[in-house]
Amino acid sequence: MALEDELLRQRHDRIAQIEQLGFQPYGHPFEYTHTIPQLIDEYGQRTAEELGNAVHVRIAGRIQRVRRMGKAGFLHLLQNGKSLQIYVKKDAVSETAYKLYELLDIGDIIGVTGYLFRTRTGELSVHVEDLFFLSKILLSLPEKWHGLEDVETRYRQRYLDLIANPDVRDVFVTRSKIIRSLRRQLDAHGFLEVETPMMQPLHGGAVARPFVTHHNTLDIDLYLRIAPELYLKRLVVGGIERVYEINRNFRNEGISTRHNPEFTMLEFYQAYADYKSMIALSKELLHQTAVDATGSSEVTFGERQLDFAQFRQFSMQEAVVEFWPGNDQPTLDNVRDPEWLGKHSRERSPGLALVDIFERHAEGQLFEPTIIYDFPVEVSPLSKNKPDQPDFVERFEIYAAGMEIANAFTELNDPQEQRRRFEMQLSRKAGGDEEAHVMDEDYIRALSYGMPPAGGEGIGIDRLTMILTNSPSIRDVILFPLLRPEGDIGLVQRLQDLAP
């Protein structure tokens, strides 16, 4: 504590010295000619002879390293995840600029002008002609900040993580590419992007527990949306036949390496389609997204390779047979037998037992991109029944790296059947299932005006990003994941107390 306070006092003293030189510790806008990544890309392969002294630049960045040597020194500036060396020589800058250079700390943000050259070791550098002070660091970066590893600090102080681990930026650059690719592809297919309410009077569209808030003026409770599905399908009723939303959803559930209460989904709906149409579109979307985001359909997750150019397909019943552990592998006839299902699950119906067995024995083994189709009606209240198997619905999920990344189905558009499904969900809620659907009378009214046959799908952006960036935790791909409240952060108050 005493050491931290002493460092803070030193930093405040530096601010006073910087001001005495005529600089502001938190300066004005700085117009630069290039970003550091642009300089590296444009001039990184130029020889010393090709550079000469002719390439004059004006750049800015955070000081990453300092190496002082008598009347000269080298600093490395970090910007947008890339670092570039600069060279400051006493007789090449003004007296004031050199005094400023002597006051600089690692972490300060500065601007410089000068020309490009190569050092004797061949490193591309800027020979500084003038210095500009832009922002003063007060808190010291971690001693080993070139690779901050403490997970709690990384997630809680993402700003520090991005400074200390420039490769973290690459994860979020890839995430942006994923969203951009999906948006571009859907736009090209004639889908219209829309926005639907995030606060809803009824929560629906998924099986999940909602967050509840209250609107004071209307004096009503509202729910943060768990899914935009029912609103998007209202738009299909209204004639927007291809519609999508990249949305934030909120589910009051546990936190794990694969779950965050606030997450991002892509949901899209297509009139005159079914779940087979969605399967074909999904393969195209995910394949192209992998290529756009990483340069290849093949990606590494953990120590294994998976390929989004190839998808395996199984019905849920077939998957139980295919991935059953041990030597007593069941047959399809076994998996279709309610008595066999009852022996291997404690769930109260054959459909729920099948899902339970699938989740326990098969789901974790679906590493390669895999489509699992034909789900029991009990777990699919918004999906259309299979004509030849009324206990099942036309639904599929996509798995990769042992995780569900997409869920889709042929939409149920019969208002009477939808009411019956909601009533089934209400009975489950009455039995204690807090995640069951509620009755949405307006949605049934909308269906009563006629919704064309349609297919719909949701793709989890966070999990897809995990796979395409080889990130083991969902917290690695969300800039500010939800964490427990932090303990004492009295250092923030001491920053003020120690100020002159």
Side-chain angles (χ1 to χ4, degrees):
M1 194 73 70
L3 178 59
E4 285 182 348
D5 288 351
E6 178 57 30
L7 288 172
L8 285 173
R9 288 191 184 93
Q10 290 178 10
R11 297 291 168 86
H12 282 298
D13 290 344
R14 294 273 177 87
I15 287 177
Q17 293 173 287
I18 289 168
E19 289 176 327
Q20 288 173 3
L21 290 174
F23 297 96
Q24 293 187 3
Y26 303 99
H28 294 294
F30 182 82
E31 294 185 5
Y32 50 79
T33 59
H34 303 78
T35 65
I36 287 176
Q38 285 173 341
L39 279 183
I40 293 171
D41 288 343
E42 189 171 348
Y43 298 102
Q45 303 303 315
R46 301 278 185 93
T47 66
E49 292 74 19
E50 289 172 328
L51 292 173
N53 297 336
V55 183
H56 287 263
V57 299
R58 185 179 172 93
I59 63 170
R62 184 183 296 275
I63 298 174
Q64 188 180 33
R65 289 190 293 274
V66 176
R67 183 161 52 98
R68 293 188 170 96
M69 306 174 298
K71 296 181 179 181
F74 291 94
L75 298 82
H76 277 80
L77 296 188
L78 179 69
Q79 184 187 33
N80 292 344
K82 298 294 183 181
S83 179
L84 181 68
Q85 181 172 266
I86 67 172
Y87 174 61
V88 181
K89 190 177 180 182
K90 187 172 184 178
D91 61 6
V93 297
S94 69
E95 181 180 352
T96 302
Y98 194 77
K99 287 181 179 178
L100 174 63
Y101 153 74
E102 292 180 312
L103 294 173
L104 296 175
D105 290 306
I106 290 176
D108 286 347
I109 299 173
I110 64 171
V112 304
T113 61
Y115 58 88
L116 292 179
F117 76 110
R118 288 200 178 272
T119 63
R120 292 177 181 176
T121 60
E123 184 171 353
L124 182 67
S125 306
V126 176
H127 195 293
V128 175
E129 296 175 323
D130 203 359
L131 276 167
F132 304 83
F133 196 81
L134 302 179
S135 187
K136 181 65 188 163
I137 188 172
L138 289 177
L139 296 176
S140 296
L141 295 166
E143 184 178 352
K144 296 183 178 179
W145 70 280
H146 302 288
L148 178 66
E149 295 181 356
D150 181 76
V151 172
E152 180 75 10
T153 302
R154 288 185 56 228
Y155 297 151
R156 194 176 296 282
Q157 300 178 51
R158 183 67 83 183
Y159 43 87
L160 191 60
D161 185 29
L162 289 164
I163 295 170
N165 300 312
D167 57 323
V168 170
R169 173 188 173 84
D170 295 338
V171 170
F172 295 99
V173 170
T174 300
R175 181 187 176 105
S176 180
K177 290 179 180 178
I178 289 168
I179 294 172
R180 193 159 60 242
S181 174
L182 290 167
R183 177 177 278 121
R184 177 186 58 77
Q185 292 183 74
L186 288 172
D187 289 347
H189 278 279
F191 285 79
L192 178 69
E193 184 174 11
V194 299
E195 293 179 331
T196 61
M198 296 178 72
M199 292 191 299
Q200 303 175 350
L202 295 172
H203 60 90
V207 178
R209 185 186 304 175
F211 288 96
V212 186
T213 187
H214 188 79
H215 191 284
N216 292 331
T217 301
L218 296 179
D219 193 24
I220 58 171
D221 283 341
L222 294 169
Y223 303 90
L224 294 183
R225 70 174 170 208
I226 58 176
E229 177 171 340
L230 300 186
Y231 283 90
L232 291 173
K233 289 195 287 193
R234 285 173 168 93
L235 297 179
V236 176
V237 171
I240 304 179
E241 296 181 350
R242 297 191 179 201
V243 63
Y244 75 97
E245 183 173 9
I246 297 172
N247 56 82
R248 302 303 291 271
N249 292 338
F250 307 85
R251 299 182 184 178
N252 199 349
E253 57 189 19
I255 297 174
S256 73
T257 58
R258 299 182 180 184
H259 297 87
N260 191 69
E262 179 181 359
F263 61 97
T264 304
M265 290 279 290
L266 161 68
E267 289 213 14
F268 54 99
Y269 294 85
Q270 179 176 335
Y272 310 109
D274 65 3
Y275 77 141
K276 293 180 181 178
S277 311
M278 292 294 104
I279 287 175
L281 180 56
S282 299
K283 291 179 179 179
E284 177 185 338
L285 289 175
L286 292 173
H287 175 225
Q288 188 60 50
T289 298
V291 172
D292 289 344
T294 71
S296 172
S297 65
E298 296 185 29
V299 298
T300 300
F301 188 79
E303 298 180 353
R304 297 175 62 182
Q305 294 279 119
L306 55 87
D307 188 354
F308 279 99
Q310 302 179 39
F311 288 80
R312 305 178 74 186
Q313 289 189 203
F314 303 93
S315 71
M316 182 173 284
Q317 293 172 330
E318 290 169 344
V320 170
V321 174
E322 178 74 17
F323 298 101
W324 184 264
N327 297 321
D328 58 337
Q329 186 179 37
T331 65
L332 268 177
D333 287 338
N334 292 142
V335 178
R336 292 166 179 157
D337 181 2
E339 185 175 344
W340 184 90
L341 293 169
K343 288 180 180 179
H344 291 85
S345 174
R346 295 181 179 179
E347 291 292 346
R348 60 184 178 272
S349 75
L352 292 175
L354 174 62
V355 173
D356 173 53
I357 294 168
F358 165 79
E359 290 177 347
R360 286 189 289 113
H361 296 301
E363 181 174 332
Q365 300 186 61
L366 305 179
F367 189 85
E368 287 293 329
T370 305
I371 293 168
I372 302 296
Y373 60 92
D374 291 357
F375 280 62
V377 66
E378 293 98 319
V379 295
S380 311
L382 300 168
S383 309
K384 181 169 286 190
N385 296 85
K386 289 178 67 66
D388 55 340
Q389 293 178 279
D391 291 337
F392 287 83
V393 296
E394 296 183 345
R395 174 183 172 188
F396 70 90
E397 290 183 343
I398 303 176
Y399 292 81
M403 296 183 283
E404 176 204 338
I405 60 172
N407 179 31
F409 37 83
T410 305
E411 301 299 333
L412 178 59
N413 60 344
D414 178 343
Q416 301 305 318
E417 175 63 15
Q418 184 62 76
R419 177 178 292 280
R420 191 180 73 82
R421 300 280 189 89
F422 279 150
E423 289 170 348
M424 289 171 57
Q425 291 289 305
L426 289 177
S427 66
R428 292 182 63 176
K429 185 174 285 291
D433 186 349
E434 296 182 5
E435 296 185 345
H437 273 263
V438 296
M439 177 68 72
D440 189 334
E441 293 285 358
D442 179 69
Y443 178 64
I444 293 175
R445 177 171 61 186
L447 290 183
S448 298
Y449 283 98
M451 184 174 87
E457 182 166 351
I459 296 176
I461 299 297
D462 306 299
R463 290 185 181 178
L464 181 58
T465 304
M466 286 174 63
I467 295 168
L468 296 185
T469 60
N470 194 15
S471 298
S473 172
I474 197 169
R475 295 183 180 187
D476 294 324
V477 302
I478 297 175
L479 280 168
F480 300 101
L482 185 66
L483 301 168
R484 291 185 183 279
E486 192 172 3
D488 176 39
I489 52 173
L491 179 61
V492 174
Q493 181 61 50
R494 296 206 309 282
L495 274 173
Q496 303 302 318
D497 296 341
L498 292 169

